[in-house]
Amino acid sequence: MKRIYYLYVIILGSIVIGCNPLEDINNEINANNPGVVEEVQYTLTDDDYTDDIEDGGLGLDRTRFDFEDDAKTMLPDFLSEKYPFLSDGSTVKVGYNLFRGSAEGVSDYSGADIYQLSNADYASTGSDAFGFYPNIDANDEIPAVLDAAIAGAAEGDIVLAKYEQYFEDPEVGLANVYQASFPANFDDFENIDVLGAEGWTSQSGYAQGSGFNGGALANEDWLISPEIDLTGITNLKFQINQEIDFLGDPSLFDVLISTDYTTGGDPMAATWTAVSFDKTMFGSMSLSEDIDFPYGGATIHVALKYSSTDSDSPRWRVESFAIKTIGVTGDTNRKGAHFVYDGGEWESADGVYYLSSADYDSMGESFGQPGRFNSFSSSTHNDDYLPTFLSLKEPFAFGQEEDELIVVYDYFSGSCDCLQVRGDLYSVIGGEWVEYQSTIATTLQFGLEDGVWVPDNTIRYTLVASDYDLVASALLTEPGFEDAAGNLNSFGNFNRSGGSTNWSDEMVITGLAIVLDNLNPDAEEGQKYIVTIDTWAPGDSTEDFSLIKTGGEWEAN
């Protein structure tokens, strides 16, 4: 099929010369010149995605297409508005952003069930502390813990085991029997709303109780812990890290303990006893003294009860609280590791790494840095830190080209005010760790047929010298092709002027099929080509042929 160009001469009284090919095309379009047949390349701008349709945009709420089919459906109308005077035979190759989702396998680890090792679990491994000692390889000890704790594990199950490991050998002192840290443990607690629309919320570094919304409002809300078993433990202490602001009446909130509350029950039906602690206005996060806690041997629930009135709406922020006893103590690193149930046993997962609290701290502990709250967020993005972190962290610092690692981390989401577990795939490219791109830049070609833009996978290709040699050698002994192939072999072009060496349309298609099978042996069904060939017609010339792959064979289109 030949391309046909229509030439129109318009006397404008002045001559406009453009050096930008796309600008020249648009100048022709703006001059309302019909019959323009062109090959155009265009890349969508941010405004193209988000502008309203009546303003010439696509009306999307993001600068990407979620699916290629969406692009195929929406772009024809967009192109009709943008290029109203291009004629049939024109093509536009559109560059656009396409969402391709998370890397394969990442969600298996970021969405894994979480198992938090308990004091009893550490004891079962022979530890007399509340975490693993520095010289203990947790990966060797945790499989036995999971075997005992998880019944009915199935082949392929994945668990994220979270645990504590001492930086240095611990010393005798007060050690945590139970600790709740927010927002990490916020979802483990029952959040019971008794009165009002405000109350307990999960924030980036703490749980917050507040009844203020444009003014003081009456509220009552309970944040109740899971069951805490203190059987066999004595000499207990309680400690809370908190911030108290705008408090008028100290009785508006309390730390309450119950030995008869049942998870999921009515807190009003249980007996609660207040813990006596200092409620002096702090104005910033402050750690309380160790408070006597006479609940050794009991099974309890701890409740943070917040209330406010129409005239008194204090703000209570709780970063953590802990129940302690005499034991070994020391600073610990909060860590995690993934395990896969394979062949009837738990095995450490390869190619995946869960960030520890020390890892976040190494990236900076100031405001706006990951170590501040040991998590990432929309304002503290993982991709701003993890490539550098991996380049410095052994053994990842010595990654080889194309090495891959799934990194799993905690992420505070403002949309739900909650801490989520997320993950990304990182690869070594050009000697550097690079995050997998969920949105990629790609292209989609459209052709104008009968006045309608349709998705078009046509590839334009011009034969080179080796292609002519290939066709000639393949057909020199083929019946009916001998003379034509011999002429092609001698002159390096297709004779289209007649005679015994002439190449008919059908013969050219046969020859071009040989070229395309060599050029693109894995071409999919429906792939189209427009191939430009050198001819003798007589005289040197060129000619275009359109082919399509149908039923596994190349034929004229």
Side-chain angles (χ1 to χ4, degrees):
M1 181 178 68
K2 296 183 179 180
R3 288 179 292 180
I4 302 174
Y5 293 84
Y6 298 88
L7 178 63
Y8 290 80
V9 180
I10 300 176
I11 300 175
L12 301 175
S14 63
I15 299 174
V16 178
I17 299 174
C19 60
N20 185 326
L22 182 55
E23 182 179 334
D24 292 342
I25 294 169
N26 286 328
N27 286 340
E28 290 186 78
I29 291 171
N30 292 334
N32 290 348
N33 291 334
V36 177
V37 178
E38 288 289 351
E39 298 172 26
V40 181
Q41 293 190 14
Y42 181 76
T43 300
L44 296 180
T45 67
D46 288 352
D47 290 341
D48 290 334
Y49 292 103
T50 57
D51 278 356
D52 292 336
I53 294 174
E54 55 266 28
D55 295 328
L58 293 159
L60 299 173
D61 60 358
R62 61 191 72 188
T63 57
R64 74 181 193 206
F65 288 105
D66 287 340
F67 302 98
E68 183 181 86
D69 284 347
D70 292 344
K72 290 179 177 179
T73 299
M74 300 180 70
L75 284 174
D77 289 342
F78 173 83
L79 295 176
S80 294
E81 289 291 325
K82 192 166 189 65
Y83 302 109
F85 299 105
L86 286 180
S87 295
D88 284 0
S90 296
T91 61
V92 179
K93 182 177 285 187
V94 182
Y96 69 100
N97 297 326
L98 176 65
F99 180 70
R100 59 174 177 167
S102 299
E104 183 177 358
V106 172
S107 61
D108 294 337
Y109 296 100
S110 60
D113 291 336
I114 297 174
Y115 181 79
Q116 178 69 58
L117 267 69
S118 66
N119 295 335
D121 291 329
Y122 298 121
S124 73
T125 67
S127 172
D128 59 353
F130 301 103
F132 291 116
Y133 277 69
N135 62 335
I136 298 296
D137 187 341
N139 289 341
D140 293 338
E141 305 295 338
I142 291 176
V145 171
L146 297 180
D147 261 337
I150 301 175
E155 187 76 8
D157 281 356
I158 301 176
V159 168
L160 171 58
K162 291 187 175 183
Y163 61 95
E164 305 276 341
Q165 187 150 29
Y166 289 95
F167 289 108
E168 298 177 351
D169 287 341
E171 300 176 354
V172 174
L174 285 175
N176 292 344
V177 175
Y178 174 84
Q179 180 175 3
S181 298
F182 302 108
N185 298 120
F186 188 84
D187 290 338
D188 300 334
F189 281 58
E190 291 182 87
N191 192 348
I192 300 176
D193 179 14
V194 176
L195 173 67
E198 313 307 317
W200 285 106
T201 58
S202 175
Q203 303 296 317
S204 58
Y206 44 80
Q208 177 171 287
S210 175
F212 187 89
N213 188 352
L217 300 170
N219 285 271
E220 181 181 332
D221 296 271
W222 295 61
L223 199 60
I224 304 178
S225 76
E227 183 177 270
I228 302 171
D229 187 357
L230 303 176
T231 302
I233 306 176
T234 57
N235 299 319
L236 295 172
K237 300 288 185 179
F238 180 86
Q239 189 174 47
I240 185 170
N241 193 21
Q242 62 184 336
E243 175 183 339
I244 300 174
D245 303 299
F246 320 120
L247 178 62
D249 181 359
S251 69
L252 286 174
F253 55 76
D254 277 302
V255 176
L256 301 173
I257 311 299
S258 176
T259 59
D260 61 2
Y261 175 72
T262 302
T263 300
D266 179 3
M268 305 305 174
T271 301
W272 297 92
T273 302
V275 174
S276 178
F277 67 96
D278 181 13
K279 298 180 184 179
T280 303
M281 298 223 351
F282 302 115
S284 61
M285 205 63 69
S286 303
L287 189 63
S288 74
E289 295 181 351
D290 291 318
I291 303 165
D292 288 339
F293 197 73
Y295 295 96
T299 299
I300 66 168
H301 288 268
V302 177
L304 306 177
K305 180 190 174 187
Y306 172 87
S307 56
S308 60
T309 69
D310 291 336
S311 59
D312 193 352
S313 258
R315 183 174 65 194
W316 189 16
R317 291 173 171 175
V318 179
E319 187 273 336
S320 63
F321 68 81
I323 300 169
K324 304 179 176 184
T325 189
I326 297 295
V328 292
T329 184
D331 292 334
T332 59
N333 187 10
R334 293 182 182 177
K335 305 178 76 173
H338 287 83
F339 291 83
V340 180
Y341 197 69
D342 183 18
E345 59 185 13
W346 291 100
E347 295 184 353
S348 178
D350 293 328
V352 58
Y353 182 76
Y354 178 76
L355 293 180
S356 70
S357 58
D359 292 333
Y360 293 108
D361 291 346
S362 72
M363 300 178 220
E365 300 179 66
S366 299
F367 184 81
Q369 294 180 314
R372 177 76 171 187
F373 299 119
N374 288 341
S375 65
F376 295 113
S377 67
S378 60
S379 58
T380 311
H381 197 267
N382 55 288
D383 196 36
D384 293 334
Y385 293 90
L386 287 181
T388 301
F389 168 79
L390 293 175
S391 70
L392 300 173
K393 175 79 173 178
E394 293 186 21
F396 313 127
F398 307 101
Q400 302 299 308
E401 194 71 11
E402 297 186 1
D403 277 359
E404 293 185 339
L405 180 71
I406 294 174
V407 181
V408 180
Y409 51 86
D410 291 328
Y411 182 94
F412 182 79
S413 172
S415 62
C416 65
D417 286 337
C418 63
L419 199 66
Q420 301 174 339
V421 178
R422 296 188 179 184
D424 285 300
L425 176 68
Y426 285 81
S427 306
V428 178
I429 301 175
E432 298 181 351
W433 285 100
V434 178
E435 181 188 17
Y436 173 88
Q437 298 300 308
S438 59
T439 299
I440 59 171
T442 187
T443 61
L444 192 60
Q445 184 167 280
F446 291 83
L448 192 59
E449 299 178 5
D450 298 325
V452 177
W453 290 101
V454 295
D456 180 22
N457 65 359
T458 301
I459 300 173
R460 294 183 178 270
Y461 180 71
T462 299
L463 294 192
V464 297
S466 59
D467 296 326
Y468 296 103
D469 293 340
L470 176 64
V471 174
S473 62
L475 297 176
L476 272 173
T477 59
E478 187 71 21
F481 284 86
E482 299 93 338
D483 292 345
N487 181 270
L488 175 62
N489 190 51
S490 298
F491 297 101
N493 59 26
F494 292 91
N495 176 32
R496 298 280 280 168
S497 63
S500 63
T501 62
N502 184 69
W503 286 80
S504 66
D505 288 354
E506 292 79 8
M507 293 170 67
V508 173
I509 293 297
T510 300
L512 295 184
I514 295 170
V515 173
L516 295 182
D517 277 336
N518 178 68
L519 181 69
N520 190 0
D522 299 322
E524 295 182 357
E525 188 76 2
Q527 178 63 60
K528 299 175 184 178
Y529 272 86
I530 293 179
V531 183
T532 301
I533 65 172
D534 290 335
T535 64
W536 179 262
D540 291 328
S541 185
T542 61
E543 194 172 344
D544 288 347
F545 281 80
S546 180
L547 293 87
I548 185 171
K549 195 167 190 179
T550 304
E553 303 292 336
W554 294 102
E555 60 182 42
N557 183 25

